[in-house]
């Protein structure tokens, strides 16, 4: 996955590029929505008894009345719209109601004091300090903007838009300015960092590529819209709030936007990055200047950047150059641009994030712009926002609290069993494929067998020994200043990434994502799947759930992540995580023909109520292939389980008209029940590598013969395609 997001103001753009470069593919939960109110057992029994062909006495024998089954029946009953024919529109059938989004109950983990009589570990004390500094809005108001203005003037030589004609350009030095911001984890114009070497997964190389745009994607700049107007207004309003000298603001805003727009002309979209991956060049630090051939001295830039992490580069160190023509075109553009415009643009990129750290009147300016992007006025509670920030910054520390309070250890063992069943199911899919030649098929099966899994959390989090956590978070010592705490984190992250270059690759180590994340991941460079504790909960998984619900929920996620090893990107990596040719040319050609069917199919999807918003099949192809393959692998695994465990799964109260297989599909669809504004849908289609939730349901089910059989659909009905696209 390659996606761009800002959590709080912790810069995670580098991580986004890392995700793309090492092919770590998250599941991305657009909407996990369900109701948690419980219908009384007796009411459900009556509902069950009144169903067609049901007898009152059946409720005592065939119905599951456990607390979990009651909850599950409730959220599915609330979700299903029975006035819709499932064979015509399965998404609308499964997702008829507006449901609340589930999340890990994390607010109380940090706001409440430790109840343990023993002394709390220092890393947890520091996490609570960070959280308190975030929620202390009175202190943020009192501190005002002095800290940020001082940092700009003393460290970055000022923001011209605030200083009018008094700004002095004589001291401007582009390299120095970019390096100073790099120390705060800001990759502006150019992105650099340490990532797993794609050609040699046992080593780390330097990654160089394009950084993000202010509006994230090139398409936003192509026409004047309410978004571009709001973007310029954001710059203007922020500047006017921070200075009394407004003499040059209008001109500066125009020049900042125009420069950003000019950069965007050379910026590769996500779809172009996928399609042009073969244009990546691996070389050495000493040789890259010859390849790039720009006036900007990238070799000097890299040497000095890594020195901040106390890492000394040499000319033979490996560097992977991505989006090379971007470097050439933008470097030429920079050569023709004045120091004032460059200084204004680079500081704006920094300040648009810093706005979220400042007093409420300035945060409101940023929020107004973001509402234009999202198309909604809803704001997260401050406690939720701060919990999310701490989880991003110190996720493994927070996880120490979470797994002790919420995680059921039985989830690990049952998940392991499901992974093996679904792995075997996918192997069977590979084995039965008629388009792969035997050489490629044997290697593919070997790769599936070699996939390593991590479930729940790394073992050290379950230990009473906190040495690793104390060492990992030794530098995370905070005070009462929220903005200074965030800057400290950003500096730590920058140093850690540079130092990663000289550290050995630990292929068996748990991923960098904390266990509290409600998501799942595949890392092609490690051939590894990760299922954090956060996702092992309703509606994805529960140890007491009927297996048809678990396989339709977390089972599909497991299948999805396994299939990522064989999507358009993952299939390029061998079992050891190296991007090398390991399929025959004939098999690759047939794979490409099959994936093109998926691409074309998803390109024709459009948001039902707004037909002008169409999906981008080129951009979402990897996730679409994984969705289709994952659903099949999990369904076949459930079928095999059911054959060997007859009459174990009981029916859900109020839903006994539906078979176990139908409920498998219904729970799968329920995961993607989500309402989105037009702006949010447009933004996801433009910038995301995942299809909208509606398409993640209708695409895989309409391509699957077993769905047609389960619901009695006829070929050609709305949710049953005549021409089905099948990769796996």
């Amino acid at each position: 996955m390659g996606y761009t997001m800002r959590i709080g103001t912790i810069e995670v753009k580098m991580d986004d590029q890392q995700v793309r470069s090492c092919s770590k593919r998250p599941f991305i939960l657009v909407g996990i929505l369900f109701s948690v109110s419980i219908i009384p057992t007796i009411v459900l029994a009556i509902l069950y008894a009144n169903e067609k062909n049901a007898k009152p006495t059946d409720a005592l024998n065939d119905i599951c009345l456990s607390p979990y089954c009651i909850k599950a029946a409730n959220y599915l009953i609330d979700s299903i719209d029975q006035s819709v024919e499932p064979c015509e529109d399965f998404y609308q059938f499964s997702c008829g109601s507006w449901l609340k989004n589930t999340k890990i109950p994390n607010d109380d983990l940090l706001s409440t004091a430790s109840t343990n009589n023993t002394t709390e570990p220092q890393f947890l004390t520091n996490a609570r300090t960070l959280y308190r500094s975030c929620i202390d809005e009175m202190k943020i108001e009192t501190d005002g903007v002095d800290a940020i203005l001082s940092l700009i003037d003393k460290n970055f030589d000022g923001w011209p838009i605030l200083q009018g004609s008094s700004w002095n350009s004589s001291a401007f030095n582009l390299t120095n300015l970019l390096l100073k911001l790099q120390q705060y984890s800001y990759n502006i114009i150019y992105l650099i960092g340490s990532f797993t070497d794609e050609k040699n997964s046992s080593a780390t190389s330097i990654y160089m590529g394009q950084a993000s745009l202010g509006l994230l994607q090139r398409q936003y700049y192509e026409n004047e819209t309410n978004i571009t107007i709001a973007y310029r207004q954001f710059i203007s309003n922020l500047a006017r709030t921070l200075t009394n000298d407004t003499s040059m603001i209008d001109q500066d805003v125009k020049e900042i936007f125009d420069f950003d727009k000019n950069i965007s002309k050379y910026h590769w979209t996500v779809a172009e990055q996928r399609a042009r991956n073969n244009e990546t060049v691996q070389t050495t630090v000493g040789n890259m200047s010859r390849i790039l051939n720009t006036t900007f001295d990238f070799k000097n830039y890299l040497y000095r950047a890594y020195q901040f992490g106390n890492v000394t580069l040499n000319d033979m160190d490996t560097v992977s150059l991505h989006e090379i023509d971007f470097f050439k075109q933008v470097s030429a553009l920079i050569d023709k641009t004045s120091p004032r415009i460059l200084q204004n643009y680079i500081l704006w990129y920094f300040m648009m994030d810093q706005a979220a750290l400042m007093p409420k009147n300035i945060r409101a300016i940023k929020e107004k712009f973001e509402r234009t992007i999202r198309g909604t006025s809803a704001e997260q509670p401050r406690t939720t926002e701060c919990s999310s920030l701490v989880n991003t910054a110190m996720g493994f520390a927070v996880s120490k609290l979470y797994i002790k309070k919420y995680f059921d250890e039985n989830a690990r063992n049952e998940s392991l069993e499901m992974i093996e069943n679904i792995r075997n199911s996918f192997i069977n899919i590979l084995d039965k494929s008629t388009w792969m030649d035997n050489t490629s098929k044997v290697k593919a099966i070997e790769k599936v067998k070699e996939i390593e899994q991590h479930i729940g959390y790394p073992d050290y989090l379950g230990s009473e020994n906190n040495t690793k956590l104390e060492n990992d978070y030794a530098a995370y010592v905070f005070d009462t200043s929220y903005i200074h705490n965030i800057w400290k984190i950003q500096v730590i992250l920058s140093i850690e990434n540079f130092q990663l270059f000289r550290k050995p690759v630990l292929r068996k180590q748990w991923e960098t994502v904390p266990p509290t994340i409600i998501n799942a991941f595949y890392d092609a460079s490690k051939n590894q799947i990760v299922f954090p504790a956060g996702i092992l909960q309703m509606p994805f998984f529960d140890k007491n759930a009927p297996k048809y619900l678990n396989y339709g929920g977390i089972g599909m996620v497991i299948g999805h992540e396994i299939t990522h090893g064989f999507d358009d990107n993952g299939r390029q990596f061998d079992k050891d995580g190296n991007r090398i040719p390991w399929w025959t040319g004939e098999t690759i050609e047939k794979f490409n023909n099959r994936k093109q069917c998926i691409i074309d199919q998803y390109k024709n999807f459009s948001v039902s109520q707004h037909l002008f918003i169409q999906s981008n099949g080129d951009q979402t192809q990897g996730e679409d292939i994984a969705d289709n393959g994952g659903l099949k692998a999990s369904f076949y695994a459930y079928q095999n389980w059911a054959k060997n465990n007859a009459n174990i799964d009981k029916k859900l109260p109020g839903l006994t008209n539906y078979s176990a297989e139908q409920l498998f599909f219904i729970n799968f669809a329920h995961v993607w029940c989500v309402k989105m504004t037009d702006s949010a849908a447009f933004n996801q289609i433009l910038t995301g590598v995942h299809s909208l939730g509606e398409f993640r349901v209708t695409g895989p089910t309409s391509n699957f013969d077993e769905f047609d059989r389960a619901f009695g659909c006829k070929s050609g009905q709305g949710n049953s395609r005549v021409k089905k696209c099948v990769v796996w």
Side-chain angles (χ1 to χ4, degrees), residues 313-326:
L313 299 180
N314 63 69
D315 283 1
M316 296 308 296
D317 284 327
T318 302
V319 59
S320 180
L321 301 176
H322 299 249
E323 299 96 37
I324 290 177
D325 63 344
F326 172 87

Side-chain angles (χ1 to χ4, degrees), residues 46 97 114 176 185 208 268 281 317-318 444 451 458 485 491 499 542 549 551 625 651 685 716:
I46 292 171
S97 305
S114 173
N176 289 347
S185 294
M208 286 185 61
W268 294 23
V281 173
D317 284 327
T318 302
I451 292 176
N485 290 341
V491 170
Q499 292 181 345
D542 190 276
L549 295 183
Y551 275 91
I625 292 170
K651 299 176 179 179
I685 287 175

Side-chain angles (χ1 to χ4, degrees), residues 1 56 110 226 253 288 325 328 365 438 450 478 662 676:
M1 174 202 84
L110 295 167
N226 63 325
V253 168
M288 68 176 183
D325 63 344
K328 295 180 177 180
I365 296 172
N438 193 59
E450 291 290 322
F478 305 112
Q662 288 175 330
M676 302 182 76

Side-chain angles (χ1 to χ4, degrees), residues 182-195:
Q182 177 69 240
Q183 293 174 4
Y184 289 85
S185 294
Y186 277 86
N187 285 274
I188 302 177
I189 303 178
Y190 309 118
L191 184 148
I192 63 172
S194 309
F195 306 108

Side-chain angles (χ1 to χ4, degrees), residues 175-443:
T175 302
N176 289 347
L177 180 60
L178 292 177
L179 286 170
K180 288 176 182 177
L181 285 159
Q182 177 69 240
Q183 293 174 4
Y184 289 85
S185 294
Y186 277 86
N187 285 274
I188 302 177
I189 303 178
Y190 309 118
L191 184 148
I192 63 172
S194 309
F195 306 108
T196 303
D197 191 327
E198 288 188 346
K199 301 294 178 65
N200 178 11
S201 62
S202 63
T204 303
S205 68
I206 298 170
Y207 181 104
M208 286 185 61
Q210 65 184 20
S212 299
L213 297 167
L215 287 176
L216 302 183
Q217 287 292 330
R218 185 178 69 220
Q219 295 94 319
Y220 276 126
Y221 297 86
E222 293 174 348
N223 299 292
E224 179 77 331
T225 65
N226 63 325
I227 291 176
T228 55
I229 293 170
Y231 183 53
R232 290 195 298 272
Q233 196 65 52
F234 182 13
I235 306 172
S236 177
N237 290 346
L238 181 61
R240 291 177 189 278
T241 306
L242 295 175
T243 184
N244 293 321
D245 186 346
T246 62
S247 60
M248 297 185 68
I249 285 180
D250 290 342
Q251 178 184 333
D252 284 337
V253 168
K254 181 181 184 302
E255 290 174 344
I256 290 170
F257 178 79
D258 288 345
F259 182 70
D260 205 8
K261 183 176 181 178
N262 285 332
I263 288 180
S264 75
K265 295 175 182 177
Y266 312 112
H267 201 268
W268 294 23
T269 66
V270 176
E272 288 169 342
Q273 288 172 329
R274 301 185 77 93
R276 301 169 64 181
N277 185 71
N278 290 336
E279 295 181 31
T280 298
V281 173
Q282 193 169 82
T283 184
T284 61
V285 172
N287 191 49
M288 68 176 183
S289 295
R290 181 187 63 80
I291 295 173
L292 295 175
N293 191 26
T294 61
T295 55
F296 188 85
D297 191 346
F298 285 103
K299 176 181 174 180
N300 174 56
Y301 182 60
L302 281 184
Y303 266 82
R304 292 176 61 190
Y306 274 81
Q307 284 173 357
F308 180 64
N310 293 320
V311 175
T312 301
L313 299 180
N314 63 69
D315 283 1
M316 296 308 296
D317 284 327
T318 302
V319 59
S320 180
L321 301 176
H322 299 249
E323 299 96 37
I324 290 177
D325 63 344
F326 172 87
F327 279 84
K328 295 180 177 180
Q329 299 283 2
V330 172
S331 294
L333 176 64
I334 288 173
D335 290 341
K336 299 182 292 185
T337 304
S338 71
R340 183 182 184 91
I341 294 175
L342 292 174
Q343 182 84 9
N344 259 332
Y345 172 77
I346 293 168
L347 264 296
W348 156 244
Y349 197 95
F350 173 70
M351 289 297 292
M352 68 187 296
D353 271 358
Q354 298 303 302
L357 305 177
M358 291 189 269
K360 193 169 185 178
N361 66 316
I362 297 177
R363 297 202 307 272
I365 296 172
K366 180 179 176 69
E367 182 61 33
K368 182 179 180 181
F369 166 70
E370 290 183 343
R371 283 201 300 269
T372 305
I373 295 288
R374 295 194 307 264
T376 176
S377 59
E379 297 181 31
Q380 282 189 328
R382 186 71 181 178
T383 52
T384 301
E385 182 179 331
C386 293
S387 294
S388 176
L389 180 138
V390 178
N391 192 40
T392 301
M394 302 182 69
F396 289 89
V398 175
S399 296
K400 185 76 175 180
L401 294 172
Y402 172 74
I403 61 176
K404 185 175 182 179
K405 188 170 183 178
Y406 295 110
F407 187 64
D408 188 336
E409 287 298 325
N410 291 319
R412 269 185 159 182
N413 293 332
E414 190 160 336
S415 297
L416 276 172
E417 179 182 336
M418 290 182 68
I419 288 173
E420 287 311 302
N421 291 343
I422 295 168
R423 187 200 308 266
N424 291 332
S425 175
F426 194 81
I427 289 173
N428 192 48
I429 290 173
L430 286 172
D431 193 44
K432 289 183 177 179
S433 65
T434 57
W435 55 272
M436 296 186 79
D437 62 69
N438 193 59
T439 300
S440 302
K441 185 183 294 187
V442 169
K443 291 181 179 179

Side-chain angles (χ1 to χ4, degrees), residues 32 94 149 217 242 252 264 365 495 532 604 622 668:
I32 318 154
S94 300
L149 294 179
Q217 287 292 330
L242 295 175
D252 284 337
S264 75
I365 296 172
I495 291 173
N604 288 320
F668 151 71

Side-chain angles (χ1 to χ4, degrees), residues 124-184:
L124 285 179
T125 300
N126 292 338
R128 295 186 196 278
T129 301
L130 175 60
Y131 177 75
R132 284 195 294 269
S133 74
C134 179
I135 63 172
D136 190 351
E137 295 191 79
M138 185 177 295
K139 177 71 162 55
I140 294 172
E141 294 296 320
T142 303
D143 288 346
V145 298
D146 291 346
I148 186 67
L149 294 179
S150 176
L151 181 73
I152 290 172
D153 290 338
K154 293 180 180 179
N155 288 41
F156 306 140
D157 299 320
W159 191 17
I161 197 172
L162 302 184
Q163 298 170 243
S165 58
S166 66
W167 184 75
N168 185 355
S169 64
S170 62
F172 177 77
N173 184 297
L174 177 62
T175 302
N176 289 347
L177 180 60
L178 292 177
L179 286 170
K180 288 176 182 177
L181 285 159
Q182 177 69 240
Q183 293 174 4
Y184 289 85

